[in-house]
Amino acid sequence: MLDDKLRMSNMKLRFMWFLPLICSLSGFEQAPPSREYQLKAVFLFNFMQFVEWPGTVLEEQNTPITLGVLGEDPFGDILEETVSNELINGHPVVIKRFANVAEIDQCHLLFIAASEKERLPQTLDALKGRNTLTVGDLKDFAQSGGMIAFKMVQNKIKVQINLDMAREADLSISPKLLRLSQIVNTKRS
């Protein structure tokens, strides 16, 4: 009886040792997001607190604010962890992921992933006329017509804001956020 318990215990230990290997080989284990994207997730949440959308967009108190990711998601579960049980001016926050811009019906803040680099001009054109705050970390994102760009400068995340594009989308960005950002005022042609 004692031998059976020891044998079962050894089998469990071997299985526990093998489990991470099996999961990583089969693709079940997802690498955690980098520290950079953990910080960017917090930035995204804070951006939503410092932007005002037109009253018609968030008329009712229980209307959720949608934080979307377009393309290959670099955040993993960190966005859900960041906004879990949070409210922005009384509105719950929901996360949605989109494979292409045609899937987007309502999105208040859209992070455009690096995988969308080749389609960026078409994506920004498709979002024109919507009240969607566009955020990305692609090179020259703000100069290309995105509204908020992340830039890495000496291992620090810096923020650029294209005020022309934000105003065109009828979004008001708080002076508190503007003071901490580099302003880019270039309109797309």
Side-chain angles (χ1 to χ4, degrees), residues 23-35:
C23 289
S24 65
L25 291 175
S26 61
F28 291 119
E29 187 177 290
Q30 192 176 44
S34 68
R35 174 98 171 112

Side-chain angles (χ1 to χ4, degrees), residues 30-33 41 73-84 95 97:
Q30 192 176 44
D73 183 358
F75 296 100
D77 293 336
I78 198 70
L79 285 176
E80 282 82 2
E81 293 170 18
T82 302
V83 303
S84 178
I95 308 294
R97 290 168 175 83

